Amino acid sequence: MSLTDSVQNKQLGVITCKAAVAWGPGEPMVIEEVELSPPQSMEIRVKVVCTSLCRSDVTAWLSQAQASIYPRIFGHEASGIVESVGEGVTEFVEGDHVLTLFTGECRSCRHCTSGKSNICQVLGLKRDGVMHGDQKTRFSIKGKPVYHYCAVSSFSEYTVVHSGCAVKVSPIAPLDKICLLSCGAAAGLGAAWKVANISEGSKVVIFGLGTVGLSVAQGAKMRGASQIIGVDMRQEKCEKAKSFGVTDFLNPNDTDEPIPQVINRLTGGGADYAFECIGDTGMVTTALQSCCDGWGLTVTLGVPKQKPEVTAHFGLLLNGRTLTGSLFGGWKPKSEIPSLVEMYLKKEIELDDLITHNLPFEDINTAFDLMKNGTCLRCVIHMPEIEGFPMAGN
């Protein structure tokens, strides 16, 4: 598609572009020609430059829980360039570099103004496959709706998002790297800094050493934690984990002793902070058991694949241990994510080593296979180059 074609299509409103469409739970993505409506009031249309595959995309794709919301376009961790803006949008103009946000910030609801929460009541996590505003889709194929994922759907050359679900970033930031701050890396750093508020000299245990877990480790190291224990069943993650700050690597397959007992022994009474980054509610209980009495805090970040209920003996809580959740690391997305981009540009945080694979858009099913098999951390998917739009490294 040429820049001239893009301008002509904008005048017509609807554009045609390629998207990876899932036609059913667990079915391979199919690259389809889709129609994308123009941005409605307070929305923007974005040319996606890079989008990384998050574990929650895979979990939702494999789940039978929302089998009726198909066909569907997944993807939510993305960077791109504003192509056009809808009525009422004043903070974005064409050409702005942005990160998409799976949970937004209206800046006016009770939660946004509280200073205590990032759970926006207006632009919060969208699970029903439609947009926040009119509860409709922007994508279609031959007039039939194609549903969204988290009101982002970045596995498409173009997408439409609410202006409250995107944040402007520095034009010098590499879009193929900072897309990780659209979800996973930011979630881990925020869990360590904002939710747990890790103190210097503390002892930390992290269950699951994927992108989120390694980002927690990075955050804990930067806060001066004296001991960071990483728990993962994949021994090959040990070296990478230590480069992100893990001091002790623990493979549950290497011991017959219950993991909480091992951690209790290694820490001299339990961790000050435990992080569940797997998406396993049974592991939430294990993490809580691995904390110390009195002040031990467990933070759960993972999206459970099954059995959403958490069970724990009341005595753990009675003895002063705390269990809390973390959505997007507690960051207020529009207000605070730009500061992480600036930290990256100043080389204060590491993102590059979280990226294990770079693939072209047409290989998106390979990316899903890599994530499903646990053989990658983050796979960045590079969208096709379109004349008039700078690409990832520009």
Side-chain angles (χ1 to χ4, degrees):
M1 182 184 294
S2 70
L3 182 59
T4 300
D5 291 336
S6 177
V7 172
Q8 290 173 342
N9 284 338
K10 277 196 294 181
Q11 292 171 348
L12 294 173
V14 176
I15 64 172
T16 300
C17 63
K18 292 182 179 179
V21 179
W23 289 92
E27 294 183 15
M29 311 288 142
V30 180
I31 305 296
E32 304 273 16
E33 292 281 345
V34 299
E35 293 84 42
L36 179 61
S37 299
Q40 302 302 301
S41 175
M42 299 308 296
E43 295 176 349
I44 60 175
R45 190 156 60 189
V46 175
K47 166 67 185 81
V48 178
V49 175
C50 286
T51 178
S52 40
L53 179 60
C54 177
R55 170 64 65 177
S56 59
D57 288 304
V58 178
T59 298
W61 168 64
L62 292 174
S63 174
Q64 297 288 331
Q66 293 185 312
S68 61
I69 310 181
Y70 282 88
R72 196 173 195 185
I73 299 171
F74 286 98
H76 64 282
E77 195 175 88
S79 58
I81 300 169
V82 175
E83 178 259 7
S84 57
V85 301
E87 181 182 356
V89 175
T90 58
E91 63 176 307
F92 297 103
V93 297
E94 294 178 21
D96 281 344
H97 287 209
V98 296
L99 292 178
T100 59
L101 303 168
F102 70 91
T103 181
E105 182 184 352
C106 74
R107 295 175 169 170
S108 60
C109 72
R110 179 185 179 190
H111 280 250
C112 284
T113 57
S114 69
K116 301 176 182 179
S117 167
N118 67 340
I119 313 296
C120 180
Q121 294 172 293
V122 178
L123 300 173
L125 184 60
K126 200 84 168 114
R127 297 182 174 90
D128 55 4
V130 294
M131 295 294 287
H132 289 93
D134 59 7
Q135 306 300 306
K136 295 180 180 178
T137 68
R138 300 290 175 264
F139 291 100
S140 62
I141 295 178
K142 296 179 180 179
K144 295 184 178 180
V146 177
Y147 294 98
H148 299 255
Y149 179 64
C150 294
V152 175
S153 294
S154 58
F155 296 157
S156 173
E157 291 179 313
Y158 290 84
T159 191
V160 170
V161 298
H162 193 283
S163 59
C165 295
V167 60
K168 188 186 303 185
V169 296
S170 169
I172 67 171
L175 296 175
D176 57 336
K177 303 297 192 298
I178 64 167
C179 56
L180 273 65
L181 292 172
S182 184
C183 181
L189 290 168
W193 294 341
K194 291 182 64 68
V195 179
N197 193 19
I198 291 174
S199 56
E200 186 176 0
S202 59
K203 299 178 179 181
V204 175
V205 60
I206 304 164
F207 293 87
L209 297 175
T211 296
V212 175
L214 292 178
S215 297
V216 172
Q218 179 176 190
K221 179 183 179 181
M222 293 174 69
R223 279 292 179 90
S226 63
Q227 186 177 27
I228 305 172
I229 303 171
V231 183
D232 202 289
M233 296 176 67
R234 291 184 175 270
Q235 190 66 36
E236 62 270 21
K237 292 184 177 181
C238 179
E239 185 176 348
K240 175 83 76 173
K242 290 191 174 181
S243 74
F244 273 86
V246 169
T247 59
D248 303 85
F249 182 87
L250 179 58
N251 186 335
N253 292 327
D254 292 341
T255 179
D256 294 327
E257 190 178 0
I259 293 301
Q261 290 185 21
V262 176
I263 293 168
N264 187 282
R265 176 166 45 80
L266 288 174
T267 57
D272 299 294
Y273 307 96
F275 297 85
E276 186 282 316
C277 306
I278 299 172
D280 183 326
T281 50
M283 199 56 66
V284 174
T285 304
T286 301
L288 191 60
Q289 292 168 341
S290 301
C291 280
C292 65
D293 284 336
W295 62 82
L297 172 64
T298 293
V299 181
T300 179
L301 295 85
V303 178
K305 304 167 186 64
Q306 53 189 0
K307 190 183 176 294
E309 298 83 11
V310 175
T311 58
H313 193 282
F314 83 98
L316 297 173
L317 305 176
L318 193 65
N319 286 345
R321 305 184 198 196
T322 301
L323 172 63
T324 190
S326 173
L327 179 69
F328 202 25
W331 300 110
K332 288 185 177 295
K334 291 180 73 69
S335 302
E336 297 179 314
I337 293 302
S339 67
L340 293 180
V341 176
E342 292 303 316
M343 289 184 73
Y344 172 75
L345 290 174
K346 294 176 183 177
K347 303 186 184 304
E348 295 173 354
I349 57 173
E350 174 61 53
L351 296 178
D352 298 27
D353 285 349
L354 294 171
I355 301 169
T356 54
H357 297 77
N358 287 275
L359 292 174
F361 182 43
E362 59 264 27
D363 290 342
I364 191 166
N365 285 308
T366 300
F368 270 77
D369 289 340
L370 288 167
M371 182 67 78
K372 187 170 61 173
N373 297 332
T375 50
C376 78
L377 289 173
R378 271 300 186 269
C379 179
V380 174
I381 298 161
H382 296 253
M383 306 305 288
E385 184 171 354
I386 292 178
E387 184 183 344
F389 286 95
M391 299 313 290
N394 300 322

